[in-house]
Amino acid sequence: NVISEKKMIVKLKAEATTPFRLFRQFIYGAVGAAGGLGTFTAIPQLIIAIQSNGDLENAVKNLAIDVVGIVSAVIFWKIESDNELKKISSFEVKQKKMDEKLTSEELKERELELAMLPIEIQVSEKDENITRTVSLRDLQLKGLQNVVIVAGSNTFVKDAMISARLEG
């Protein structure tokens, strides 16, 4: 129930951003149907024109117009459908991000967990082997240090550290 309601809301939001989509799809369907009916009548006209040396130029022109109508209706219908799927997908992503947001209570709990993390810091610039382990909270409060957590691959972390040293 909740999932179907969320999907319905997403579809309504997508429809609200692109009004008259259903009307446009109806027009494309009508043009395609008209082209199909025209092709249905133009093919016998073309066959008769070929057999009796009749107005072949007019028969080919009528058939071409009908085929172009069908092809263009199909192309525009496909573009419209693809755009609709893209809109729905983007709204689903936005909805998912909104659903994943943490409550203030969850944020406080996560902050407390992070504060208790042990951090190994280098005490001496000359000897990098001289280190000390403190909690993140102590480092921030007692050491008057702002802490930035960088997560990612080794290359990413190394690049971030180099960039921080250059800019800091």
Side-chain angles (χ1 to χ4, degrees):
N1 253 352
V2 173
I3 294 173
S4 62
E5 284 179 25
K6 286 184 179 183
K7 284 188 178 187
M8 180 61 73
I9 289 171
V10 165
K11 284 186 177 186
L12 288 173
K13 285 180 179 179
E15 181 65 32
T17 59
T18 53
F20 306 113
R21 177 184 295 131
L22 191 60
F23 177 71
R24 287 191 303 270
Q25 287 179 327
F26 173 77
I27 296 297
Y28 302 148
V31 168
L37 187 59
T39 302
F40 182 71
T41 60
I43 289 176
Q45 181 186 13
L46 179 65
I47 293 171
I48 292 170
I50 291 172
Q51 290 175 347
S52 66
N53 292 331
D55 190 9
L56 186 62
E57 182 181 327
N58 192 32
V60 170
K61 183 172 72 173
N62 286 341
L63 183 62
I65 290 170
D66 293 332
V67 169
V68 166
I70 292 171
V71 170
S72 64
V74 168
I75 288 171
F76 285 127
W77 181 283
K78 175 78 171 122
I79 289 170
E80 193 72 36
S81 296
D82 289 347
N83 287 342
E84 179 181 16
L85 291 175
K86 285 178 187 175
K87 287 274 186 188
I88 288 174
S89 176
S90 72
F91 277 112
E92 283 176 343
V93 167
K94 287 179 184 177
Q95 185 68 38
K96 194 174 189 178
K97 284 182 181 178
M98 287 177 54
D99 291 344
E100 290 175 352
K101 285 188 176 178
L102 299 176
T103 64
S104 61
E105 195 172 295
E106 290 170 326
L107 285 172
K108 286 178 184 177
E109 184 178 316
R110 185 171 72 175
E111 201 172 305
L112 287 174
E113 286 178 26
L114 285 174
M116 300 312 294
L117 285 176
I119 306 292
E120 187 173 339
I121 58 172
Q122 182 179 335
V123 180
S124 172
E125 285 187 31
K126 294 177 183 174
D127 187 2
E128 61 183 49
N129 293 329
I130 301 174
T131 61
R132 193 168 148 205
T133 303
V134 295
S135 71
L136 182 60
R137 170 182 239 139
D138 288 342
L139 184 63
Q140 285 181 308
L141 295 177
K142 296 176 185 173
L144 300 174
Q145 299 290 317
N146 291 324
V147 177
V148 177
I149 299 174
V150 179
S153 67
N154 287 343
T155 306
F156 177 78
V157 172
K158 184 177 179 180
D159 290 346
M161 295 299 291
I162 290 170
S163 175
R165 286 183 184 152
L166 292 177
E167 295 174 8

